C-alpha cells in the first residue's frame, strides 16, 4: 500500500484566512492508493498519438509513484513495423518533451516495455500474440492477468476484439479486462453493434469504456462537493436554481486530426460523451453509495430523463457552427475548411450549443444550456449553476432585478477551482451594493499537481474498479439522443458555414438560443 496523501492531520496548522485546507482527511482507507496485482498491459494502437501523449507517460508516472505492481510488463502492438528499441526510444523522447530527465527509474521502466507489429485483421498475428503474452507472463511473473487497451482508430476496434476472442486470449474471467477508447461507435446502431461484439467475448464487468473527463480531478470533485456538504443539496432543484450552463470551450482547432474529426464533428466528439457526463453528474440524484453500481445507475437515470427534442423543432434547441478565419492571441488562425485534410466545402460542425430539459421532479422546467466548440475566445470548461433572483427588494432605490443572481461555478479547467458570487454591501452610502466572489483555487490550496485523468483511469482499471468508466446503457442512451439530432441535421444542410469567426464565442444563433429566454452565457 502506498500513501499519496499529504499528512496534515493537525487542523491547527490551518490558519484562518490562509489558503491552506482547514482539515485534510487522511484516514488510510480514504487517502491510500492500492497497488494493483501483477499484470501485463497490452496497448493496441501503440504507435499512435494517444499512446505517446497520454498512455505511456501516464504509466510512467504511476511507475515513478510506485503505483504499478512490481511484476508487470507493457506490450505495444500496432501495424507500424517498430522494434522494442525504437519504441523505447520514442517513449524516451516523449518523456523528455514532458520535462522528464534521464534517470535510473526511466531505464528500469523501459525494461518492462516491448513492441510487436501485426495486422489487426490477421488471425495469425493474434495467435502469435498469444504465445508472446504467455512468454512475457512467465518472464515477468504476471500470473496470466492481462489488461488490454484498445486505442486504435475506431474502424479496427471490431477486428481487435474478434482477433483476441478467436485466439482465445480474452475469456470471460476477470483475468482479461479490456479498456476501450472513445469514440465508442459513430451513432446509435454502430454503438449497439460494438457493444454486441464486446459481449460476445466478455462480461460487462470486464469492459472499461473510457471517457477521460470522468478521471479529471475537478470532475470527480463534483460528487464530493455535492454530496459531502449539507448546505448546497437542499437548494439543488427547480425551486432555487434558475438554470445551469455547461461550457467546454477550446482555443485549439482540429490540429492534425482532420481525418477523424471530419467524420465526427463536435456533437459526436464532445456531446455524446464528455458533455453528457458532466450533465449527468451535475443533475443526478445522490447515489446510495459511491460504487460502480449505484453511481452509474444514477447517471443513467438522468440520461433517461432528458426530454427528447420535438420533431421539427430542432432549430429552437440546437445550434451548430463551423469556424471561419480569425484571430487568436494576436495571431491569424485559419478557417476550419483551410486546415490540412479538411474538405474545402466541409459541412462538419466545430461548435454546438443546445438547450435541454430534464423531466423529473427535481429539474422540471429548469433549462440546461450546453455549448462546446473549437477555436473559441478562450479555453474554459466550466459548469455554472445560476440560482434564482431574489423575489423582492426591501431596499429603497434598488429594484430586485438589479441584484445579480448567485452563481456557483465549477471551473473544470484551466484555473481549476470553484467560485460563488454573492451580493454584499459596498462600503459607503447605505444602499450601495457590490457583487463579490468566494473563491477556491486548486493551485493555491493543494500545491501538488493532481493525478492526470488517464493515470487515474488506468490505475482504476488495473485495480478492477469500473466506477469511473461508462456503462453500456449510458452509451446507448446518449447515442440515442445524439443520433436523433444527427438525423434531423441530415434532412437539411446548415444555412451558412462558416458561421463564426475563430476567436469569437460561436455563431449569433448560439447567443439567441439563451438570450431569447432572457438569460446570457456566463463566459463571453
Ligand atoms: C477529446 C476530443 O475527447 O477531448 C477532442 O476528441 C477534445 O476533440 C478533447 O479536444 C478535449 O479534452 P480536454 O481534456 O482537453 O478538455
Amino acid at each position: 500500500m502506498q500513501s499519496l496523501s499529504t499528512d496534515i492531520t493537525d487542523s491547527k496548522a490551518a490558519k484562518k484566512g490562509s489558503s491552506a485546507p482547514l482539515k485534510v482527511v487522511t484516514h488510510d482507507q480514504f487517502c491510500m492508493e492500492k497497488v494493483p496485482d501483477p499484470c501485463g498491459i497490452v496497448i493496441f494502437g501503440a504507435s499512435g498519438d494517444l499512446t505517446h501523449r497520454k498512455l505511456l507517460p501516464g504509466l510512467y508516472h504511476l511507475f515513478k509513484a510506485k503505483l504499478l505492481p512490481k511484476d508487470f510488463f507493457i506490450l505495444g502492438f500496432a501495424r507500424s513495423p517498430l522494434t522494442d528499441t525504437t519504441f523505447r526510444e520514442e517513449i524516451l523522447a516523449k518523456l523528455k518533451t514532458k520535462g522528464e530527465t534521464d534517470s535510473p527509474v526511466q531505464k528500469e521502466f523501459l525494461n518492462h516495455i516491448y513492441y510487436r507489429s501485426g495486422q489487426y485483421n490477421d488471425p495469425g498475428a493474434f495467435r502469435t500474440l498469444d504465445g508472446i503474452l504467455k512468454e512475457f507472463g512467465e518472464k515477468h511473473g504476471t500470473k496470466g492477468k492481462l489488461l488490454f487497451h484498445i486505442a486504435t482508430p475506431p474502424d479496427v476496434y471490431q477486428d481487435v476484439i474478434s482477433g483476441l476472442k478467436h485466439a482465445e486470449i480474452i475469456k470471460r474471467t476477470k483475468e482479461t479486462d479490456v479498456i476501450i477508447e472513445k469514440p465508442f461507435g459513430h451513432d446509435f446502431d454502430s454503438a449497439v453493434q460494438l457493444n454486441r461484439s464486446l459481449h460476445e467475448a466478455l462480461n460487462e464487468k470486464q469492459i472499461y469504456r473510457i471517457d477521460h473527463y470522468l478521471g479529471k480531478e475537478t470532475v470527480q470533485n463534483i460528487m464530493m462537493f455535492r454530496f459531502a456538504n449539507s448546505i448546497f443539496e437542499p437548494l439543488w432543484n427547480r425551486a432555487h436554481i434558475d438554470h445551469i450552463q455547461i461550457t467546454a470551450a477550446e482555443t485549439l482547432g482540429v490540429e492534425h486530426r482532420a481525418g477523424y474529426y471530419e467524420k465526427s464533428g463536435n456533437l459526436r466528439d464532445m456531446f455524446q460523451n464528455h458533455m453528457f457526463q458532466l450533465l449527468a453528474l451535475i443533475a443526478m440524484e445522490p447515489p446510495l453509495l459511491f460504487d460502480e453500481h449505484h453511481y452509474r445507475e444514477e447517471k443513467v437515470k438522468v440520461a433517461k430523463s432528458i426530454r427528447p427534442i420535438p420533431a421539427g423543432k430542432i432549430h429552437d434547441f440546437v445550434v451548430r457552427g463551423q469556424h471561419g478565419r480569425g484571430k487568436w492571441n494576436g495571431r491569424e488562425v485559419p478557417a476550419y475548411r483551410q486546415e490540412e485534410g479538411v474538405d474545402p466545402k466541409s459541412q462538419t460542425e466545430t461548435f454546438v450549443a443546445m438547450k435541454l430539459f430534464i423531466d423529473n421532479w427535481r429539474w422540471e422546467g429548469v433549462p440546461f444550456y450546453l455549448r462546446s466548440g473549437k477555436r473559441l475566445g478562450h479555453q474554459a470548461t466550466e459548469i455554472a449553476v445560476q440560482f434564482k433572483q431574489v423575489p423582492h427588494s426591501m431596499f429603497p432605490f434598488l429594484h430586485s432585478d438589479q441584484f445579480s443572481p448567485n452563481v456557483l461555478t465549477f471551473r473544470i479547467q484551466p484555473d481549476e477551482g470553484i467560485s460563488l458570487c454573492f451580493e454584499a454591501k459596498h462600503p459607503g452610502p447605505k444602499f450601495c451594493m457590490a457583487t463579490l466572489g468566494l473563491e477556491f483555487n486548486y493551485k493555491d490550496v493543494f500545491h501538488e499537481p493532481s493525478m492526470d485523468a488517464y493515470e487515474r483511469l488506468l490505475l482504476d482499471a488495473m485495480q478492477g474498479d469500473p466506477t469511473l468508466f461508462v456503462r453500456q446503457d449510458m452509451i446507448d442512451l446518449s447515442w440515442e439522443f445524439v443520433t436523433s439530432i444527427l438525423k434531423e441535421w441530415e434532412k437539411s444542410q446548415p444555412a451558412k458555414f462558416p458561421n463564426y469567426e475563430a476567436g469569437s464565442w460561436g455563431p449569433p444563433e448560439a447567443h439567441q438560443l439563451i438570450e431569447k429566454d432572457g438569460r446570457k452565457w456566463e463566459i463571453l
Side-chain angles (χ1 to χ4, degrees):
M1 298 267 254
Q2 302 290 327
S3 171
L4 273 190
S5 66
T6 325
D7 203 12
I8 309 170
T9 41
D10 181 5
S11 61
K12 283 182 223 143
K15 292 186 214 91
K16 253 197 179 157
S18 81
S19 58
L22 297 179
K23 187 187 89 182
V24 177
V25 179
T26 54
H27 191 287
D28 286 0
Q29 287 205 319
F30 299 126
C31 289
M32 285 174 99
E33 296 282 5
K34 188 172 153 274
V35 178
D37 291 337
C39 174
I41 300 164
V42 184
I43 303 176
F44 293 101
S47 57
D49 181 57
L50 183 74
T51 305
H52 286 76
R53 216 165 26 85
K54 290 285 179 191
L55 305 185
L56 284 163
L59 288 165
Y60 176 61
H61 290 148
L62 292 174
F63 181 72
K64 249 184 30 181
K66 302 200 175 7
L67 287 172
L68 286 190
K70 192 167 66 55
D71 300 314
F72 79 100
F73 68 87
I74 300 170
L75 173 68
F77 184 101
R79 290 177 283 215
S80 313
L82 301 177
T83 62
D84 288 346
T85 313
T86 45
F87 188 53
R88 288 174 188 177
E89 280 166 3
E90 281 184 10
I91 298 166
L92 269 187
K94 193 69 201 178
L95 290 178
K96 211 164 263 170
T97 65
K98 291 189 169 266
E100 298 286 352
T101 45
D102 282 354
S103 69
V105 184
Q106 262 183 20
K107 284 207 186 84
E108 205 188 322
F109 178 66
L110 291 183
N111 285 338
H112 293 258
I113 297 188
Y114 306 91
Y115 181 91
R116 293 293 179 273
S117 61
Q119 295 302 318
Y120 296 121
N121 60 0
D122 172 14
F126 285 87
R127 282 195 296 275
T128 311
L129 180 65
D130 187 33
I132 295 166
L133 291 175
K134 286 183 177 133
E135 181 195 324
F136 289 166
E138 292 273 310
K139 182 171 167 193
H140 290 275
T142 51
K143 303 185 182 140
K145 170 78 190 160
L146 290 166
L147 177 65
F148 298 91
H149 194 130
I150 307 182
T152 58
D155 54 346
V156 297
Y157 285 178
Q158 306 260 9
D159 288 341
V160 176
I161 298 160
S162 109
L164 287 170
K165 178 178 177 252
H166 288 116
E168 293 184 22
I169 301 175
I170 49 175
K171 303 181 187 91
R172 289 183 190 279
T173 70
K174 277 304 276 175
E175 290 305 286
T176 52
D177 289 345
V178 173
I179 301 178
I180 186 152
E181 275 299 327
K182 73 170 274 273
F184 195 94
H186 187 70
D187 53 16
F188 178 75
D189 291 343
S190 55
V192 168
Q193 180 50 47
L194 183 52
N195 269 320
R196 199 171 293 143
S197 306
L198 283 164
H199 284 138
E200 275 166 16
L202 301 159
N203 297 324
E204 177 66 20
K205 268 198 154 287
Q206 297 169 265
I207 307 168
Y208 293 75
R209 300 173 192 84
I210 214 162
D211 181 322
H212 76 282
Y213 266 52
L214 294 176
K216 287 181 191 274
E217 192 74 28
T218 44
V219 174
Q220 292 176 63
N221 182 48
I222 298 172
M223 285 293 94
M224 208 45 92
F225 183 90
R226 284 192 58 195
F227 302 125
N229 293 297
S230 64
I231 60 172
F232 300 105
E233 206 46 31
L235 307 179
W236 216 257
N237 56 53
R238 70 197 155 91
H240 300 280
I241 291 177
D242 178 76
H243 74 279
I244 294 185
Q245 298 184 16
I246 306 180
T247 296
E250 298 183 78
T251 52
L252 293 177
V254 67
E255 305 285 282
H256 48 276
R257 297 166 73 221
Y260 152 75
Y261 200 83
E262 271 285 86
K263 287 189 239 129
S264 159
N266 185 282
L267 187 66
R268 290 183 173 96
D269 188 46
M270 292 296 290
F271 274 75
Q272 180 272 325
N273 36 65
H274 313 325
M275 298 296 278
F276 278 9
Q277 291 297 329
L278 295 180
L279 174 71
L281 295 179
I282 210 73
M284 75 202 276
E285 295 301 315
L288 193 61
L289 206 60
F290 184 69
D291 69 4
E292 65 183 90
H293 171 67
H294 296 93
Y295 166 78
R296 301 198 291 179
E297 186 64 22
E298 291 303 336
K299 287 199 297 175
V300 163
K301 285 188 198 161
V302 174
K304 281 184 184 160
S305 315
I306 299 176
R307 187 185 300 170
I309 295 177
K313 294 267 182 204
I314 183 114
H315 301 296
D316 294 341
F317 292 91
V318 188
V319 171
R320 56 180 152 164
Q322 186 194 79
H323 74 82
R325 304 163 45 169
K327 271 203 169 156
W328 183 74
N329 226 357
R331 90 186 151 86
E332 287 283 338
V333 289
Y336 175 69
R337 287 178 177 177
Q338 294 169 318
E339 298 274 13
E340 200 183 323
V342 173
D343 177 351
K345 290 195 179 128
S346 173
Q347 294 295 337
T348 301
E349 80 286 354
T350 57
F351 175 97
V352 174
M354 68 172 75
K355 176 165 100 171
L356 293 179
F357 288 94
I358 295 177
D359 284 335
N360 64 17
W361 192 273
R362 187 188 283 260
W363 295 116
E364 195 58 46
V366 177
F368 288 74
Y369 299 96
L370 281 65
R371 73 184 161 157
S372 163
K374 295 212 180 276
R375 290 260 190 244
L376 296 183
H378 60 83
Q379 193 206 350
T381 303
E382 294 193 3
I383 304 176
V385 179
Q386 184 162 324
F387 291 87
K388 291 200 164 167
Q389 287 274 4
V390 290
H392 161 76
S393 170
M394 56 170 264
F395 303 102
F397 314 117
L398 289 173
H399 196 266
S400 63
D401 62 12
Q402 285 175 291
F403 296 77
S404 299
N406 300 114
V407 181
L408 177 70
T409 306
F410 294 85
R411 292 194 305 276
I412 309 290
Q413 64 191 21
D415 188 25
E416 291 82 355
I418 296 177
S419 59
L420 176 66
C421 293
F422 59 93
E423 301 295 75
K425 177 158 182 340
H426 194 287
K430 260 194 291 194
F431 298 118
C432 200
M433 193 173 59
T435 303
L436 303 174
L438 279 176
E439 271 292 328
F440 151 63
N441 196 309
Y442 271 80
K443 279 195 212 90
D444 295 345
V445 178
F446 305 112
H447 302 289
E448 45 192 310
S450 328
M451 194 186 258
D452 176 75
Y454 265 99
E455 287 167 39
R456 167 80 276 149
L457 296 172
L458 285 165
L459 188 60
D460 281 7
M462 278 185 267
Q463 289 168 347
D465 179 2
T467 308
L468 299 183
F469 292 81
V470 189
R471 223 167 60 179
Q472 172 187 355
D473 42 2
M474 184 75 186
I475 296 265
D476 289 350
L477 288 160
S478 53
W479 268 124
E480 200 177 335
F481 188 81
V482 160
T483 306
S484 71
I485 298 175
L486 291 168
K487 283 195 174 145
E488 285 293 313
W489 280 355
E490 272 166 20
K491 292 183 190 160
S492 62
Q493 291 288 307
K496 178 178 154 281
F497 266 1
N499 59 354
Y500 72 97
E501 247 181 53
S504 74
W505 281 97
E509 293 82 355
H511 299 275
Q512 287 151 19
L513 181 79
I514 187 165
E515 283 164 9
K516 69 179 184 221
D517 297 341
R519 303 180 173 104
K520 63 179 177 48
W521 292 109
E522 281 292 319
I523 313 173
L524 282 176

